[in-house]
Amino acid sequence: MKNSIYTLTILLSMSIFLDAQDVEEVIVTATKTEKTLQEVPIAVSVVTADVIEKANVVDIFDLKSVVPSLDTRQYQSSVNTTFFIRGFGNGSNNPGIEPSVAVFIDGVYRSKTQSQISDLPMLERIEVLRGPQSTLFGKNASAGVINIVTKKPSFEKSGNVSFGIGKYNSRVGKLYYTGPLNENLAYSFSANFNKRDGHSENPITGNATNDRDRVGYRAELLYVPSDDLSVRITADYDDYDEICCAVGSTSYGAGNQITAAFGGQIIPNDPFTKKAFYDSDPISQGDNSGLSIHIEKNLDNATIESITSYRNSYNFEIQDVDFDAVNIVAPSPIKKDLNGITQEIRIYSEDNEKFNWLFGGFYYQEDMDFNESIYFGPLWRPYIDAFLPVGTIAEVASAFGLPDSLMFAAGQGNMESATQDNSTKSIFAQFDIQLSERLNAIIGASYMEDKKSVSYNQINTAVFSNLDFVGAGAMGLIAAGFPPAQAMVLATDPAYNPLLPLQGLQFIPQFVNFPNAAQDGKSSDDNVDYTAKLSYALNDAVTIYGGVSTGFKATAWNISRNSLPNATETAALAAAGTPVGPNTGLGQRYADPEEAEVFELGAKIYLPSGYLNIAMFDQEIRGFQSNTFIGTGFVLANAGSQSADGYEFDLVLSPSDNIDLAVSGLFIDPVYDSFPNSASGDLTGTTPTNIPEDTISSNITWNWETNGFDGYVRLSHLYSSEVKLLENPSWQAILEANGNGTKKQDTLNISMGIEKQGVGDGVLSLMFYGKNINNDKFITTAFPAVADPTSTTFFGYPNNYKSYGLMVNYSF
């Protein structure tokens, strides 16, 4: 932090002597009203339409290349992706855990990744608001916000058509047209498709993984009956049908070695082989659709805005959860259906000189249906037998008086169904007060109520997983002459009970369905969030600001087979005459809310041909909702506190008429201040994994003009420092021993474009792009193999490999 203070002091000292320059203003809606980027005392990065085009940003997962404070990680399917801002984020692999980074598209909240998967339509800009934003953004903004703004229909006719081809048989097409229907009504229509073959081969099925197959449509009407009223109606639909995602070996352990005897073909300790050995392709299919109505009414001294939306999102996927070419575990199907409505209304003053105000309210309702099943495959029993002395499982079956054929039989497993109804209400207000000619204050507050009603039911047929080894051991000790009370105690000691080591093979423990007599499946949270900031204009070019903001994310229910009763629920069920069985595994029903707070000091600086924005921060999330995969499922837990302090900057500069420079950086020091009960033990005082201390994005663009042609060459680079991949120290040591324990990013992208005006009635342009042209390789994340009792087998997800393509665009 000392270096950041020195940097900030030097830059401010230099900037005091600058005057305001003629720099193109960037408009943002980070405060729910339109202001320039340099006016708002918020750490926000803006990606303009020009950058989106030249950097070939296709979807929001591409944003990391231009916004270093934002990280995206792709997991096992197209919809299992998580966004992180300043290292904070969660929300994948468990439908009950909502993201800590909120995504809004034209003011409409998108609750989960599967509803955010659409390729981006005609864009005006993308704003990434860093740090908690719950005062004005009423749902799950404890880490930050991605705010996407698309272009409105125009009363002037225009359109464009583009088509592209590229590596992996990539084909991309876009169509957009807008114009008037009459003097009060304009419309726009867009359609797009994005298809490519996968970058990794599956030799078993002959198909490729990590392909892309998406289609989208969007239609809008803009009704402007008078100067003081506008109504914007938007309808959209998109679908996807993909095979994703490839994994590779990061530690070739005992599990891999045993499956190799049955035909497994994993390439040892090499996650970058471009081969994914699945006996069943990992399929992701789904669609998203929605309708929104945005009404804006100007009064004499104020504006009223209302945004109403309905959205539906459906996802179906099949996962080969053993990640190998043999049928150890049968393919696991998952279905998730979301139906939601939102309503936001706000009224705000019209740019008064001394005092401006905003009042608003937000309502959200979403219903979710979720189904998942997992069953043993035909090789499951031989796989388990290979870990044990010959005849062990048969002896256990005999001891319990059961047929040996019932132990780990193919087709056993569990089928799960869950529902969640979630409603959120919030009211908010913010005041912008001009205290003096140069001093300004922003004070805001919000009140939120969040209610969830959850049900979860499981049908479990895994016989071995539901055997009572403690009870059986106690009975054996009693038969050997031990008093019953002593026998029950000794039965929990492996020295007296030889069955206990086999508990590690009870992969699908008994589930206690809820609601039940002791658990109603309901949560109700309320919270007050606030923001208070001061900004001071040193001169026309430099404004400094500082203050505090808070964020909140409500209770997260553990919608997974690891959602299990605690001691209180167990005792209550016993008292109600429905005692819990002996083997209920690990996990908890829900995680308590997240509460975030950030103290921030920053500067917005106009430069002679650009701007420099700097923010220093000290940010903390208390009760961070951690969701950790342990090989047999996910363990949900609250960290006592996770914090990060550091600084970030955005520098945009044009040192000459034809050169544009942009450099952004994040320098951060994350730590678990308190996390005694994590799935990996006590992590208090340790560094959270996969959060780089240094991340820098830089690009240079050369713009040229000759003989009636305009063109550019853009080179960009993304660097992130080395990080460890797993928080469990023993697991991390195994990865490091196999050379796959760390991640570091050093990626180069390039694009080149040329355009000619006056081609017909429009502009014809060509663009060549290359992504990851230096073929940078890194593992986005690593995880333990499903059901390896030795915990020596690990897999990892490789990043996207080098790609390139050519785009042709005609605008008219």
Side-chain angles (χ1 to χ4, degrees):
M1 287 299 295
K2 288 183 178 179
N3 290 336
S4 65
I5 294 173
Y6 294 154
T7 302
L8 183 61
T9 301
I10 292 171
L11 289 169
L12 287 176
S13 299
M14 295 170 58
S15 304
I16 287 173
F17 301 102
L18 294 173
D19 294 322
Q21 303 294 321
D22 184 17
V23 179
E24 181 180 356
E25 299 285 10
V26 177
I27 302 298
V28 298
T29 52
T31 57
K32 292 295 181 83
T33 59
E34 288 193 349
K35 291 183 178 294
T36 68
L37 174 63
Q38 300 305 97
E39 283 182 297
V40 294
I42 296 175
V44 53
S45 295
V46 179
V47 185
T48 63
D50 182 64
V51 172
I52 289 167
E53 178 184 354
K54 290 180 178 178
N56 194 35
V57 174
V58 177
D59 56 34
I60 50 181
F61 309 124
D62 288 333
L63 288 176
K64 180 183 177 181
S65 64
V66 290
V67 183
S69 295
L70 174 69
D71 189 13
T72 59
R73 299 175 199 164
Q74 178 77 64
Y75 301 120
Q76 77 269 27
S77 70
S78 297
V79 300
N80 269 296
T81 303
T82 302
F83 300 108
F84 298 79
I85 292 180
R86 291 177 175 170
F88 296 98
N90 53 24
S92 67
N93 285 305
N94 190 324
I97 303 178
E98 297 164 308
S100 297
V101 176
V103 175
F104 289 80
I105 300 179
D106 291 327
V108 176
Y109 175 62
R110 301 289 184 95
S111 63
K112 293 180 173 62
T113 307
Q114 75 178 59
S115 64
Q116 305 160 0
I117 196 172
S118 315
D119 286 357
L120 297 175
M122 293 300 293
L123 291 176
E124 191 169 291
R125 65 184 180 275
I126 301 173
E127 306 167 10
V128 179
L129 285 62
R130 310 188 293 268
Q133 306 290 332
S134 293
T135 301
L136 294 181
F137 293 86
K139 184 70 174 172
N140 298 334
S142 55
V145 169
I146 301 173
N147 187 35
I148 299 171
V149 182
T150 68
K151 294 181 179 179
K152 295 179 181 179
S154 173
F155 284 91
E156 295 184 6
K157 291 182 179 181
S158 66
N160 64 64
V161 179
S162 62
F163 179 74
I165 57 174
K167 192 176 182 182
Y168 305 117
N169 194 28
S170 171
R171 294 95 66 208
V172 177
K174 296 181 181 181
L175 167 68
Y176 176 79
Y177 188 79
T178 185
L181 291 173
N182 57 44
E183 62 179 8
N184 302 122
L185 190 63
Y187 75 98
S188 67
F189 174 79
S190 65
N192 65 278
F193 67 85
N194 188 349
K195 300 176 184 290
R196 71 159 189 256
D197 297 338
H199 63 54
S200 294
E201 175 194 3
N202 183 352
I204 310 304
T205 66
N207 296 319
T209 61
N210 290 72
D211 68 344
R212 184 63 59 89
D213 189 352
R214 300 179 183 179
V215 177
Y217 307 92
R218 183 181 176 97
E220 293 196 49
L221 289 174
L222 179 63
Y223 178 53
V224 187
S226 61
D227 292 339
D228 60 2
L229 176 64
S230 68
V231 180
R232 183 183 183 186
I233 302 174
T234 303
D236 66 272
Y237 172 84
D238 66 83
D239 63 47
Y240 53 93
D241 185 357
E242 301 174 348
I243 299 175
C244 189
C245 298
V247 301
S249 168
T250 53
S251 172
Y252 192 79
N256 292 141
Q257 295 163 21
I258 289 172
T259 58
F262 304 130
Q265 300 179 43
I266 293 294
I267 297 175
N269 303 321
D270 186 358
F272 307 109
T273 62
K274 295 189 179 182
K275 294 185 183 296
F277 296 94
Y278 297 116
D279 59 287
S280 174
D281 289 320
I283 296 171
S284 294
Q285 300 171 341
D287 58 71
N288 300 286
S289 59
L291 178 69
S292 66
I293 303 174
H294 186 168
I295 302 172
E296 184 173 341
K297 172 66 175 177
N298 296 320
L299 305 176
D300 290 340
N301 194 29
T303 298
I304 298 178
E305 289 192 62
S306 170
I307 303 176
T308 307
S309 77
Y310 168 78
R311 298 207 61 81
N312 173 262
S313 180
Y314 172 78
N315 177 64
F316 173 74
E317 58 188 76
I318 298 177
Q319 292 295 323
D320 183 12
V321 296
D322 55 33
F323 301 104
D324 208 339
V326 292
N327 197 348
I328 304 293
V329 181
S332 174
I334 301 172
K335 289 195 297 183
K336 184 166 56 177
D337 197 357
L338 306 172
N339 289 279
I341 60 172
T342 64
Q343 173 64 59
E344 181 171 356
I345 188 166
R346 54 184 183 264
I347 180 171
Y348 51 91
S349 60
E350 289 285 5
D351 199 22
N352 296 322
E353 182 178 351
K354 296 292 186 180
F355 180 77
N356 284 283
W357 47 266
L358 178 149
F359 295 96
F362 175 77
Y363 175 76
Y364 165 84
Q365 171 69 47
E366 183 179 77
D367 301 329
M368 178 180 69
D369 291 304
F370 176 77
N371 295 274
E372 181 179 14
S373 61
I374 184 167
Y375 295 105
F376 301 147
L379 293 176
W380 180 250
R381 173 63 185 271
Y383 173 80
I384 294 299
D385 281 337
F387 284 99
L388 302 169
V390 175
T392 298
I393 301 301
E395 291 176 5
V396 172
S398 177
F400 280 87
L402 296 171
D404 181 40
S405 60
L406 286 181
M407 300 293 101
F408 301 109
Q412 290 183 3
N414 67 271
M415 180 175 64
E416 305 159 4
S417 61
T419 65
Q420 177 174 274
D421 299 335
N422 180 203
S423 65
T424 303
K425 302 174 185 176
S426 71
I427 56 174
F428 53 88
Q430 186 159 289
F431 305 99
D432 190 333
I433 308 167
Q434 190 73 34
L435 300 175
S436 71
E437 183 179 354
R438 295 186 178 274
L439 182 63
N440 194 77
I442 287 183
I443 301 173
S446 67
Y447 173 75
M448 186 191 80
E449 293 181 352
D450 186 279
K451 295 182 179 180
K452 293 186 174 77
S453 179
V454 182
S455 70
Y456 204 112
N457 293 279
Q458 183 191 86
I459 299 174
N460 190 327
T461 60
V463 174
F464 188 89
S465 289
N466 291 289
L467 297 179
D468 183 3
F469 291 149
V470 174
M475 293 296 293
L477 291 169
I478 292 172
F482 287 88
Q486 184 183 12
M488 288 301 298
V489 174
L490 294 177
T492 61
D493 185 345
Y496 290 90
N497 186 351
L499 293 172
L500 291 183
L502 298 176
Q503 286 181 320
L505 300 177
Q506 294 182 312
F507 298 112
I508 306 179
Q510 183 187 78
F511 189 88
V512 180
N513 296 336
F514 69 94
N516 56 49
Q519 174 56 261
D520 63 5
K522 297 181 185 296
S523 61
S524 181
D525 301 304
D526 60 82
N527 192 68
V528 173
D529 283 295
Y530 58 89
T531 184
K533 294 183 177 181
L534 290 174
S535 61
Y536 184 78
L538 297 178
N539 52 37
D540 290 343
V542 181
T543 299
I544 59 173
Y545 70 91
V548 59
S549 296
T550 66
F552 181 79
K553 184 153 76 81
T555 297
W557 284 82
N558 190 4
I559 299 180
S560 80
R561 67 184 62 92
N562 289 75
S563 172
L564 301 166
N566 58 18
T568 301
E569 184 180 345
T570 299
L573 286 170
T578 54
V580 174
N583 179 28
T584 55
L586 300 172
Q588 62 188 54
R589 292 293 196 199
Y590 56 83
D592 293 325
E594 290 182 357
E595 296 185 59
E597 184 178 56
V598 64
F599 293 92
E600 204 164 76
L601 174 64
K604 301 289 183 82
I605 305 168
Y606 283 110
L607 300 176
S609 57
Y611 64 83
L612 170 64
N613 295 338
I614 306 172
M616 294 173 52
F617 59 88
D618 187 350
Q619 186 168 327
E620 178 186 15
I621 292 186
R622 294 179 296 278
F624 177 76
Q625 295 167 353
S626 169
N627 188 48
T628 305
F629 185 62
I630 59 171
T632 55
F634 291 86
V635 175
L636 180 63
N638 285 105
S641 171
Q642 180 183 342
S643 66
D645 59 71
Y647 73 102
E648 56 201 356
F649 70 90
D650 291 315
L651 172 65
V652 175
L653 192 63
S654 297
S656 67
D657 290 340
N658 63 339
I659 297 293
D660 296 325
L661 296 174
V663 183
S664 300
L666 169 67
F667 306 90
I668 194 171
D669 184 17
V671 65
Y672 282 127
D673 305 293
S674 172
F675 199 179
N677 299 313
S678 83
S680 303
D682 188 354
L683 295 177
T684 301
T686 65
T687 300
T689 58
N690 220 343
I691 303 177
E693 291 187 357
D694 305 327
T695 306
I696 301 173
S697 169
S698 55
N699 68 76
I700 181 170
T701 304
W702 172 49
N703 303 286
W704 54 267
E705 179 181 354
T706 182
N707 296 325
F709 289 91
D710 296 314
Y712 68 89
V713 178
R714 183 181 190 276
L715 183 66
S716 67
H717 177 245
L718 179 63
Y719 166 82
S720 62
S721 58
E722 188 172 85
V723 294
K724 294 183 177 180
L725 293 173
L726 294 176
E727 291 177 342
N728 184 306
S730 60
W731 292 357
Q732 176 65 26
I734 292 172
L735 287 186
E736 291 178 359
N738 289 284
N740 292 309
T742 59
K743 164 187 170 182
K744 182 180 180 180
Q745 189 165 357
D746 194 3
T747 307
L748 282 172
N749 300 319
I750 192 171
S751 61
M752 297 177 284
I754 184 173
E755 71 175 30
K756 173 68 174 177
Q757 305 219 16
V759 179
D761 294 326
V763 180
L764 179 66
S765 62
L766 301 176
M767 180 184 71
F768 170 81
Y769 67 86
K771 296 186 177 182
N772 192 11
I773 59 174
N774 59 330
N775 209 20
D776 186 25
K777 294 180 181 179
F778 55 89
I779 304 163
T780 60
T781 190
F783 61 94
V786 172
D788 177 359
T790 67
S791 296
T792 58
T793 303
F794 294 85
F795 292 101
Y797 297 103
N799 66 308
N800 286 326
Y801 302 115
K802 176 171 61 177
S803 64
Y804 47 82
L806 178 69
M807 295 290 298
V808 181
N809 185 78
Y810 183 67
S811 299
F812 53 92

